[in-house]
Amino acid sequence: MTETTVVITGGAGYIGSHTVLACRENGNRVVVLDNLVKGRRDLLPDDVPFYLGDVGGNPPHQGCLRSRDRQAQRAPDLRRRL
């Protein structure tokens, strides 16, 4: 069985970091993209690939999005106003 790669945007926040753990427990390879505005790198296991940035960023951040099988959006859309 081929390992699935999941990119989790906002993966260094509270909800995102728990999503990282759940995905790994299910046998997925996880990559995290977070700008650390609200998240913290120390919430993630050391062996999880981490990219500092956001989905609107330029390469190399966009490269990690192209290498995924699935994506879990856990980052807030800061352009939206409630």
Side-chain angles (χ1 to χ4, degrees), residues 20-72:
V20 168
L21 298 176
C23 286
R24 285 172 46 118
E25 286 175 8
N26 286 318
N28 297 299
R29 179 178 179 274
V30 175
V31 177
V32 170
L33 174 65
D34 199 301
N35 61 13
L36 297 181
V37 170
K38 297 281 186 176
R40 296 188 353 228
R41 175 66 175 100
D42 64 330
L43 292 176
L44 301 171
D46 291 335
D47 62 337
V48 170
F50 175 79
Y51 291 85
L52 179 62
D54 55 49
V55 293
N58 295 316
H61 311 114
Q62 294 300 320
C64 79
L65 296 175
R66 281 191 293 273
S67 66
R68 78 196 186 287
D69 297 308
R70 298 181 189 270
Q71 180 176 337

